[in-house]
Amino acid sequence: MDKKRVVLALGHKALGTTLPQQQEGVRSSAKIIADLAEEGCQLIITHSNAPQVGMIHTAMNEFGKAHQDYTASPMSVCSAMSQGYIGYDLQNAIRAELLSRGIYKTVSTVLTQVLVDPYDDAFYKPVKKIGRHLTKEEAEAEENKGNYVVQVEDGRYQRIVAAPRPKDIIEIDAIRALADADQIVIACGGGGIPVLAQRSRLKGASAVIEKDLAAGKLAELTDADILMLLTGVDQILLNYGTRDEAPIGHMTTDEAKKYIVAGQFDEATVQPKIVAGVEFVEKKPGRKTIITSIDRAKDGLLGITGTVIE
């Protein structure tokens, strides 16, 4: 097949939660990624980071509490840390798998900042839970600092942060240059490090970016042919959980929009994938979005399974 530029978004299953799970997960994911490379794909990879960034946020804040000379780490710094250590494991696993197949290709991780709009409505309606559970006193202290909290189980609280839409990718020129050189690039991990533009400076935002929307923006700005979003199921289902449940093999962007309006997709999990897929496809003729499971990624590419939006 002709060489296609594919932006591949790895979900939670590809990485696991703990460090040992991550090391095992990236080895399995690397085999899938190598399969796509053998099919002639020019790959740009992004990934989730929810458990990892939550673990880092908790650890750094606990350390700050125990040591007076240290401060708590902001969300942007925690996002950067998660990109670094996930990228380290992932790029090494991909490199090793490619070499085992006789494929000599550089794999690089780009620490990626993603620009968000300070006036995005999401900053007024934070929804993403992050970090450890807090006592009432700790929650009040967070609110006094201007942060948002929400009550969870057992009378505990948890911080919540905004999930603004990605507007631009700061390091996009570097990502394009690596992809144009036929290298495998890992970028926009966890949706990217959210930043606000302040004249010539960039300031980290207290937010997380939905990784599927960031993947769509990455695919758009690198002029990819295919956006492949990997999830826990082979195909998206209509009428999920009912007797009329049925897999969707193909849908147009107009059909996808109608399904969104009808409330067919879970807002927290499936809908961001559909939105990202539709927006990417509508930007340029000839593009397609494929949504499938990581285990069936190659089959999805070959049209054997998956949900296609085009």
Side-chain angles (χ1 to χ4, degrees), residues 171-228:
E171 289 77 21
I172 194 62
D173 289 339
I175 296 166
R176 283 198 202 106
L178 292 168
D180 289 345
D182 203 27
Q183 298 186 21
I184 293 178
V185 192
I186 302 166
C188 291
I193 305 162
V195 293
L196 303 168
Q198 297 186 340
R199 296 186 179 177
S200 61
R201 299 185 62 186
L202 296 171
K203 177 180 173 60
S206 182
V208 294
I209 299 170
E210 169 58 56
K211 72 170 180 61
D212 294 317
L213 297 180
K217 179 61 70 173
L218 180 61
E220 172 197 337
L221 296 181
T222 56
D223 195 21
D225 300 291
I226 298 171
L227 171 62
M228 182 173 284

Side-chain angles (χ1 to χ4, degrees), residues 12 15 47-56 82 86 129-130 190:
H12 169 65
L15 299 174
H47 57 80
S48 66
N49 76 337
Q52 289 84 356
V53 76
M55 176 179 64
I56 292 169
S82 73
I86 294 171
K129 297 176 184 176
I130 189 72

Side-chain angles (χ1 to χ4, degrees), residues 151-164:
Q151 189 168 3
V152 290
E153 68 269 15
D154 300 327
R156 296 278 179 161
Y157 297 79
Q158 198 169 12
R159 268 198 68 188
I160 51 173
V161 295

Side-chain angles (χ1 to χ4, degrees), residues 64-171:
K65 283 176 57 182
H67 299 80
Q68 294 183 354
D69 293 337
Y70 292 86
T71 60
S73 294
M75 277 303 304
S76 55
V77 173
C78 295
S79 294
M81 291 180 180
S82 73
Q83 277 193 23
Y85 99 87
I86 294 171
Y88 164 68
D89 276 347
L90 190 54
Q91 72 181 36
N92 283 340
I94 296 169
R95 177 181 180 275
E97 182 62 31
L98 291 174
L99 287 174
S100 74
R101 302 185 188 198
I103 301 172
Y104 300 91
K105 191 183 291 285
T106 300
V107 187
S108 303
T109 298
V110 177
L111 197 65
T112 316
Q113 302 172 95
V114 174
L115 190 68
V116 297
D117 183 349
Y119 301 107
D120 192 305
D121 287 344
F123 283 110
Y124 305 100
K125 300 175 184 177
V127 295
K128 294 284 189 178
K129 297 176 184 176
I130 189 72
R132 66 177 181 86
H133 288 178
L134 308 170
T135 64
K136 184 177 181 180
E137 292 74 20
E138 289 172 330
E140 289 174 350
E142 288 294 333
E143 288 182 322
N144 290 336
K145 290 189 290 184
N147 295 324
Y148 292 89
V149 298
V150 64
Q151 189 168 3
V152 290
E153 68 269 15
D154 300 327
R156 296 278 179 161
Y157 297 79
Q158 198 169 12
R159 268 198 68 188
I160 51 173
V161 295
R165 292 181 63 87
K167 304 296 290 183
D168 200 4
I169 297 172
I170 302 301
E171 289 77 21

Side-chain angles (χ1 to χ4, degrees), residues 1-8 32-45 98 103 105 179 182-185 225-226 228 290 297-298 300-302:
M1 62 185 296
D2 295 334
K3 186 177 286 290
K4 298 286 188 182
R5 178 168 289 184
V6 178
V7 167
L8 183 69
I32 306 298
I33 292 164
D35 287 344
L36 298 181
E38 286 185 326
E39 289 296 322
C41 294
Q42 191 179 70
L43 294 167
I44 302 170
I45 299 165
L98 291 174
I103 301 172
K105 191 183 291 285
D182 203 27
Q183 298 186 21
I184 293 178
V185 192
D225 300 291
I226 298 171
M228 182 173 284
I290 302 170
K298 181 178 176 180
L301 181 72
L302 297 176

